[in-house]
mmCIF file of all heavy atoms in Angstrom:
data_model
loop_
_atom_site.group_PDB
_atom_site.id
_atom_site.type_symbol
_atom_site.label_atom_id
_atom_site.label_comp_id
_atom_site.label_asym_id
_atom_site.label_seq_id
_atom_site.Cartn_x
_atom_site.Cartn_y
_atom_site.Cartn_z
ATOM 1 N N LYS F 334 41.972 -109.147 -22.448
ATOM 2 C CA LYS F 334 41.666 -110.416 -21.514
ATOM 3 C C LYS F 334 40.952 -111.418 -22.356
ATOM 4 O O LYS F 334 39.836 -112.026 -21.852
ATOM 5 C CB LYS F 334 40.699 -109.953 -20.349
ATOM 6 C CG LYS F 334 41.342 -108.780 -19.579
ATOM 7 C CD LYS F 334 42.196 -109.328 -18.378
ATOM 8 C CE LYS F 334 42.792 -108.216 -17.545
ATOM 9 N NZ LYS F 334 44.222 -108.076 -17.706
ATOM 10 N N ALA F 335 41.398 -111.744 -23.516
ATOM 11 C CA ALA F 335 40.838 -112.699 -24.458
ATOM 12 C C ALA F 335 40.792 -114.103 -23.769
ATOM 13 O O ALA F 335 41.884 -114.540 -23.305
ATOM 14 C CB ALA F 335 41.221 -112.701 -25.730
ATOM 15 N N ASP F 336 39.880 -114.913 -23.884
ATOM 16 C CA ASP F 336 39.811 -116.362 -23.594
ATOM 17 C C ASP F 336 40.149 -117.199 -24.933
ATOM 18 O O ASP F 336 40.517 -118.225 -25.004
ATOM 19 C CB ASP F 336 38.557 -116.825 -23.039
ATOM 20 C CG ASP F 336 38.136 -116.301 -21.698
ATOM 21 O OD1 ASP F 336 39.002 -116.330 -20.860
ATOM 22 O OD2 ASP F 336 37.046 -115.735 -21.683
ATOM 23 N N ARG F 337 39.744 -116.341 -25.970
ATOM 24 C CA ARG F 337 40.017 -116.993 -27.323
ATOM 25 C C ARG F 337 40.132 -115.930 -28.240
ATOM 26 O O ARG F 337 39.579 -114.841 -28.221
ATOM 27 C CB ARG F 337 38.631 -117.796 -27.646
ATOM 28 C CG ARG F 337 38.573 -118.539 -28.913
ATOM 29 C CD ARG F 337 37.340 -119.373 -29.134
ATOM 30 N NE ARG F 337 37.462 -120.216 -30.299
ATOM 31 C CZ ARG F 337 36.544 -120.904 -30.699
ATOM 32 N NH1 ARG F 337 35.363 -120.902 -30.137
ATOM 33 N NH2 ARG F 337 36.698 -121.638 -31.844
ATOM 34 N N ILE F 338 41.012 -116.217 -29.278
ATOM 35 C CA ILE F 338 41.267 -115.221 -30.392
ATOM 36 C C ILE F 338 41.150 -115.933 -31.683
ATOM 37 O O ILE F 338 41.673 -116.984 -31.951
ATOM 38 C CB ILE F 338 42.723 -114.505 -30.304
ATOM 39 C CG1 ILE F 338 42.993 -114.119 -28.882
ATOM 40 C CG2 ILE F 338 42.844 -113.525 -31.316
ATOM 41 C CD1 ILE F 338 44.496 -113.662 -28.836
ATOM 42 N N ILE F 339 40.276 -115.356 -32.576
ATOM 43 C CA ILE F 339 40.009 -115.933 -33.785
ATOM 44 C C ILE F 339 40.491 -115.109 -34.942
ATOM 45 O O ILE F 339 40.078 -113.883 -34.972
ATOM 46 C CB ILE F 339 38.463 -116.189 -34.005
ATOM 47 C CG1 ILE F 339 38.021 -117.238 -32.877
ATOM 48 C CG2 ILE F 339 38.149 -116.833 -35.322
ATOM 49 C CD1 ILE F 339 36.442 -117.367 -32.922
ATOM 50 N N TYR F 340 41.306 -115.543 -35.806
ATOM 51 C CA TYR F 340 41.741 -114.730 -36.971
ATOM 52 C C TYR F 340 41.030 -115.308 -38.288
ATOM 53 O O TYR F 340 41.104 -116.457 -38.514
ATOM 54 C CB TYR F 340 43.193 -114.923 -37.131
ATOM 55 C CG TYR F 340 44.113 -114.334 -35.989
ATOM 56 C CD1 TYR F 340 44.365 -115.207 -34.829
ATOM 57 C CD2 TYR F 340 44.652 -113.093 -35.960
ATOM 58 C CE1 TYR F 340 45.060 -114.786 -33.813
ATOM 59 C CE2 TYR F 340 45.491 -112.741 -34.828
ATOM 60 C CZ TYR F 340 45.621 -113.550 -33.789
ATOM 61 O OH TYR F 340 46.411 -113.048 -32.775
ATOM 62 N N VAL F 341 40.504 -114.392 -39.092
ATOM 63 C CA VAL F 341 39.812 -114.813 -40.205
ATOM 64 C C VAL F 341 40.527 -114.253 -41.410
ATOM 65 O O VAL F 341 40.379 -113.108 -41.744
ATOM 66 C CB VAL F 341 38.310 -114.267 -40.220
ATOM 67 C CG1 VAL F 341 37.644 -114.945 -41.436
ATOM 68 C CG2 VAL F 341 37.743 -114.535 -38.921
ATOM 69 N N THR F 342 41.366 -115.019 -42.134
ATOM 70 C CA THR F 342 42.006 -114.641 -43.272
ATOM 71 C C THR F 342 42.109 -115.820 -44.358
ATOM 72 O O THR F 342 41.794 -116.948 -43.898
ATOM 73 C CB THR F 342 43.493 -114.268 -43.125
ATOM 74 O OG1 THR F 342 44.305 -115.349 -43.094
ATOM 75 C CG2 THR F 342 43.680 -113.478 -41.787
ATOM 76 N N ASP F 343 42.449 -115.491 -45.463
ATOM 77 C CA ASP F 343 42.638 -116.593 -46.456
ATOM 78 C C ASP F 343 43.707 -117.568 -46.129
ATOM 79 O O ASP F 343 44.518 -117.305 -45.329
ATOM 80 C CB ASP F 343 42.631 -115.984 -47.903
ATOM 81 C CG ASP F 343 44.024 -115.512 -48.241
ATOM 82 O OD1 ASP F 343 44.897 -116.092 -47.910
ATOM 83 O OD2 ASP F 343 43.911 -114.462 -48.935
ATOM 84 N N ALA F 344 43.564 -118.794 -46.786
ATOM 85 C CA ALA F 344 44.347 -119.942 -46.440
ATOM 86 C C ALA F 344 45.841 -119.662 -46.623
ATOM 87 O O ALA F 344 46.617 -120.442 -46.103
ATOM 88 C CB ALA F 344 43.906 -121.169 -47.119
ATOM 89 N N ARG F 345 46.152 -118.623 -47.466
ATOM 90 C CA ARG F 345 47.609 -118.441 -47.736
ATOM 91 C C ARG F 345 48.336 -118.020 -46.545
ATOM 92 O O ARG F 345 49.516 -118.074 -46.718
ATOM 93 C CB ARG F 345 47.606 -117.323 -48.900
ATOM 94 C CG ARG F 345 47.407 -117.899 -50.303
ATOM 95 C CD ARG F 345 47.244 -116.818 -51.346
ATOM 96 N NE ARG F 345 46.320 -115.901 -50.985
ATOM 97 C CZ ARG F 345 46.017 -114.835 -51.752
ATOM 98 N NH1 ARG F 345 46.620 -114.631 -52.855
ATOM 99 N NH2 ARG F 345 45.014 -114.028 -51.387
#
Side-chain angles (χ1 to χ4, degrees):
K334 311 266 179 250
D336 298 308
R337 182 174 188 185
I338 310 175
I339 298 172
Y340 298 83
V341 190
T342 84
D343 72 42
R345 284 172 302 182

